[in-house]
Amino acid sequence: MHVTHLSLADFRSYARVEVPLDPGVTAFVGPNGQGKTNLVEAVGYLATLGSHRVSSDAPLVRMGADRAVIRAQVRQGERQQLVELELNPGKANRARINRSSQVKPRDVLGIVRTVLFAPEDLALVKGDPGERRRFLDELITARAPRMAGVRSDYERVLKQRNTLLKTAALARRHGGRSMDLSTLDVWDQHLARVGADLLAQRQDLVAAIQPLADKAYEQLAPGGGPIGLEYKPSSPGIVGHAREELYEQLIAAVAEVRKQEIERGVTLVGPHRDDLVLKLGQLPAKGYASHGESWSYALALRLASYDLLRAEGNEPVLILDDVFAELDARRRERLAELVAPGEQVLVTAAVDDDVPGVLTGTRFAVSDGAVERV
Ligand SMILES: Nc1ncnc2c1ncn2[C@@H]1O[C@H](COP(=O)(O)OP(=O)(O)O)[C@@H](O)[C@H]1O
Ligand SMILES: [Mg+2]
């Protein structure tokens, strides 16, 4: 798919902007702080209902405005769709598809698909497990939009279970009557059921993406690998791959830590405590890989995501935000050759020279809130 038109109202630095887009490569070029990333961030938001830079919506609304609107005309084969999201920080966001407002924001997922690579992605390698979980979860949602519902169910179950555990922990500390633990049993089952669904999807994804990431790393940094992705569950007893066995293993793992959970008042096992260990050769990349290796690793993960989504149909938009300036000439050319044939590739760069020659296409100059085709 590709986006044929992007409109923003009160999004980030833009009061209003209209950007007609072509398939193929489009580069947004302009000095720092002019609003290049803001444009591609908006496209990414339509695909994930989140920003790659901030975890809440408030910074996305233009200072002084109440709400932001992102609208995109999308083409997939012969099919045209108009998607629209209204961001209302502190209140529910609203969505429209083809001008119909009988939809929820989540229904928009799957219409715009993106793979976005940005300097922030270094955190995939160097950051906390939460960064890697988000990487996996956004990708499973791009593969299967129904997973957005599973993810939010899991968050809800976890929150309610934690509340219950906190109550139990407090009652215990204050010597009160001990809680009726049968309520907790019910929440264990919810946690295991939704958690097993999420886990099975994550493990399936890791298996699918591993060879693609290794291939991408080899292309970016020949001879530098191999790289290995190891999914690391929160408890050693969780070893299965199918949903049913994972359910049983989660139930058993939860039972094992119940005493500690009641002492501490938090849920100690489940996909919210898992990690994806990224290995470079024999060593974990985190804590061992150089800056350049970490950068190539993060990029390889994104290129692998792109390959996977392409192979599974409906090609995503590839977004490369401020990426080329970070790479040496050789890696820059390699990356450019890999991505040049994409259905739609959006690139941002501070200066023209940062955009490799093979990436010919449309250029926009971005300056002071104006986005002009050059
Ligand atoms: N909510 C907002 N309201 C107004 N301006 C904003 C908002 N969020 C970011 N900006 C401005 O947008 C600019 C950054 O835009 P960005 O797209 O990141 O720049 P770049 O062209 O370097 O990628 C900054 O000047 C910042 O102050
Ligand atoms: Mg930027």
Side-chain angles (χ1 to χ4, degrees):
M1 48 80 40
H2 64 273
V3 176
T4 57
H5 194 96
L6 177 70
S7 311
L8 304 178
D10 291 327
F11 183 86
R12 290 283 197 185
S13 53
Y14 294 100
R16 286 205 82 90
V17 70
E18 301 290 333
V19 189
L21 291 166
D22 297 325
V25 179
T26 296
F28 297 99
V29 181
N32 284 326
Q34 300 297 306
K36 305 181 298 293
T37 301
N38 294 346
L39 293 173
V40 293
E41 183 180 40
V43 179
Y45 194 99
L46 290 173
T48 60
L49 304 182
S51 156
H52 70 288
R53 295 198 285 190
V54 287
S55 56
S56 76
D57 287 347
L60 305 179
V61 176
R62 193 169 66 94
M63 192 60 78
D66 303 332
R67 66 179 80 89
V69 176
I70 308 172
R71 187 183 300 129
Q73 185 79 45
V74 179
R75 191 173 185 102
Q76 185 194 342
E78 289 304 303
R79 190 156 176 226
Q80 292 266 15
Q81 289 192 92
L82 181 67
V83 286
E84 199 173 316
L85 283 176
E86 183 183 280
L87 278 51
N88 298 302
K91 286 183 283 177
N93 290 346
R94 296 208 297 204
R96 297 205 300 170
I97 299 174
N98 297 329
R99 309 218 178 262
S100 157
S101 50
Q102 308 296 321
V103 293
K104 297 186 295 292
R106 228 190 268 156
D107 298 327
V108 163
L109 289 170
I111 298 179
V112 175
R113 309 216 303 168
T114 59
V115 170
L116 191 158
F117 183 62
E120 285 80 1
D121 283 331
L122 210 48
L124 280 179
V125 181
K126 295 180 181 253
D128 296 334
E131 303 280 347
R132 291 176 287 281
R133 289 194 297 266
R134 186 159 68 100
F135 165 74
L136 294 174
D137 289 348
E138 282 185 355
L139 197 50
I140 61 177
T141 309
R143 292 178 91 191
R146 80 162 182 98
M147 291 308 293
V150 174
R151 285 166 67 191
S152 75
D153 285 351
Y154 188 77
E155 292 301 318
R156 191 174 43 80
V157 169
L158 188 62
K159 214 163 136 193
Q160 303 208 14
R161 193 173 181 278
N162 282 343
T163 304
L164 202 61
L165 285 169
K166 267 191 206 89
T167 312
L170 271 176
R172 213 173 151 274
R173 246 172 261 147
H174 298 300
R177 221 159 47 87
S178 64
M179 222 185 51
D180 175 10
L181 291 176
S182 62
T183 323
L184 197 53
D185 287 340
V186 174
W187 286 102
D188 289 0
Q189 287 158 23
H190 289 318
L191 185 90
R193 183 176 43 79
V194 188
D197 201 354
L198 196 55
L199 259 168
Q201 291 287 333
R202 283 191 191 165
Q203 289 184 341
D204 182 64
L205 170 63
V206 172
I209 208 169
Q210 149 75 45
L212 301 174
D214 190 46
K215 189 186 90 199
Y217 194 88
E218 177 62 24
Q219 283 166 328
L220 290 165
I227 66 176
L229 311 182
E230 283 172 18
Y231 191 80
K232 187 164 166 283
S234 53
S235 159
I238 301 170
V239 292
H241 288 271
R243 203 154 54 175
E244 295 68 30
E245 55 179 340
L246 285 164
Y247 173 83
E248 298 299 334
Q249 290 165 0
L250 274 165
I251 289 282
V254 170
E256 213 166 286
V257 294
R258 174 169 280 192
K259 201 161 151 269
Q260 287 148 270
E261 286 192 325
I262 292 176
E263 267 160 31
R264 294 174 50 184
V266 287
T267 299
L268 294 173
V269 293
H272 65 292
R273 308 270 292 200
D274 294 354
D275 197 0
L276 175 68
V277 180
L278 306 177
K279 295 183 83 174
L280 180 57
Q282 297 302 308
L283 296 171
K286 183 175 175 171
Y288 291 89
S290 71
H291 182 79
E293 287 170 334
S294 302
W295 186 263
S296 297
Y297 210 125
L299 182 51
L301 290 174
R302 292 301 183 192
L303 289 174
S305 311
Y306 186 55
D307 272 354
L308 182 72
L309 295 180
R310 280 174 106 173
E312 291 178 351
N314 194 6
E315 186 161 340
V317 177
L318 181 64
I319 298 173
L320 300 172
D321 182 28
D322 233 346
V323 165
F324 289 103
E326 289 275 347
L327 298 170
D328 57 41
R330 211 190 52 194
R331 281 175 209 209
R332 204 185 269 207
E333 290 310 317
R334 284 227 166 79
L335 175 61
E337 280 160 24
L338 284 175
V339 306
E343 178 174 340
Q344 187 167 52
V345 184
L346 307 178
V347 175
T348 75
V351 291
D352 267 319
D353 285 351
D354 283 345
V355 185
V358 293
L359 295 185
T360 52
T362 312
R363 295 226 170 171
F364 285 94
V366 180
S367 170
D368 212 14
V371 182
E372 274 161 17
R373 199 185 273 255
V374 289

